[in-house]
Amino acid sequence: GTSVRQPVTFPLSPSTPRSTMALNATFRAVVCVFFLTHIPATILMDSQAILPASMVPGFAKELLAFHIERHHDPLMAQQPVWFKSLILFEMLFQLPFFFVGFYAFYMRRNWVRIPGIVYGVHTATTLLPILAEITYSKAMPTKQARTVLFYIYLPYLIIPALIALLLALEEKPFGKAGDAGAVQRTGDKAKRR
């Protein structure tokens, strides 16, 4: 007879059973550590591209000088206008989201899905010109220095891209338990009536 064709499913498609989805405890821990470590990096290092020098503590200036000297970072050394514009968005949009994102991933809150997708896509997109500049900059003294700096920046593309992808693939990234905060608030409203 006739054979029935089975639908093709991909490993991370929404139809994949939850047990195989990558939004597990390990990934949650990586994301939480990523957000927590990105907070001081943004405040102490990246912000120096747009803040007046008088607002930057001395130890942060020394830390940035060490980074530039050690890793030959042409973006932090030269701070072109396009790079400053990306840092401005990092300060205004990403920095507040680090706190929100940490809370939501730590507490397993499904409401982070759409904000997390926006954050992940935005951040991953900003890393493309940064990595291109590192790849093609004539300011890099050696191929090894270029490679090291590329790999320093690469996680800031990969982790946000994975956040966006995995949140986009799963309507309830933390399952029904991820709606606990929303259910609790709904229940509280009903009790007050």
Side-chain angles (χ1 to χ4, degrees), residues 123-145:
T123 303
T125 303
T126 65
L127 263 293
L128 294 176
I130 291 170
L131 291 173
E133 180 66 27
I134 292 166
T135 301
Y136 297 106
S137 174
K138 293 183 184 355
M140 300 304 298
T142 65
K143 184 177 179 180
Q144 180 182 1

Side-chain angles (χ1 to χ4, degrees), residues 45-46 48-49 64 67-68 73-79 83 153:
M45 299 280 286
D46 298 350
Q48 293 185 55
L64 180 59
H67 166 75
I68 291 169
D73 189 334
L75 296 170
M76 292 306 291
Q78 299 164 6
Q79 301 177 352
F83 181 69
Y153 277 94

Side-chain angles (χ1 to χ4, degrees), residues 162-184:
L162 284 174
I163 290 170
L165 175 66
L166 296 175
L167 291 177
L169 291 174
E170 192 64 38
E171 186 176 340
K172 294 189 181 284
F174 302 109
K176 290 181 182 179
D179 292 331
V183 170
Q184 180 66 37

Side-chain angles (χ1 to χ4, degrees), residues 1-6:
T2 60
S3 64
V4 177
R5 293 185 90 173
Q6 295 295 321

Side-chain angles (χ1 to χ4, degrees), residues 18-87:
R18 177 166 304 283
S19 61
T20 62
M21 292 300 292
L23 205 61
N24 60 26
T26 302
F27 183 71
R28 281 183 43 248
V30 167
V31 170
C32 287
V33 168
F34 176 80
F35 287 143
L36 285 179
T37 58
H38 209 161
I39 292 167
T42 296
I43 293 170
L44 298 174
M45 299 280 286
D46 298 350
S47 67
Q48 293 185 55
I50 60 171
L51 292 178
S54 62
M55 292 182 67
V56 179
F59 76 93
K61 291 176 189 175
E62 291 172 13
L63 191 58
L64 180 59
F66 171 79
H67 166 75
I68 291 169
E69 182 181 330
R70 173 83 180 194
H71 300 112
H72 310 283
D73 189 334
L75 296 170
M76 292 306 291
Q78 299 164 6
Q79 301 177 352
V81 172
W82 67 265
F83 181 69
K84 288 182 178 188
S85 70
L86 297 181
I87 298 298

Side-chain angles (χ1 to χ4, degrees), residues 82-104:
W82 67 265
F83 181 69
K84 288 182 178 188
S85 70
L86 297 181
I87 298 298
L88 179 63
F89 275 95
E90 180 180 356
M91 297 295 295
L92 296 176
F93 170 65
Q94 293 179 36
L95 181 59
F97 186 79
F98 298 151
F99 295 94
V100 171
F102 172 80
Y103 173 82

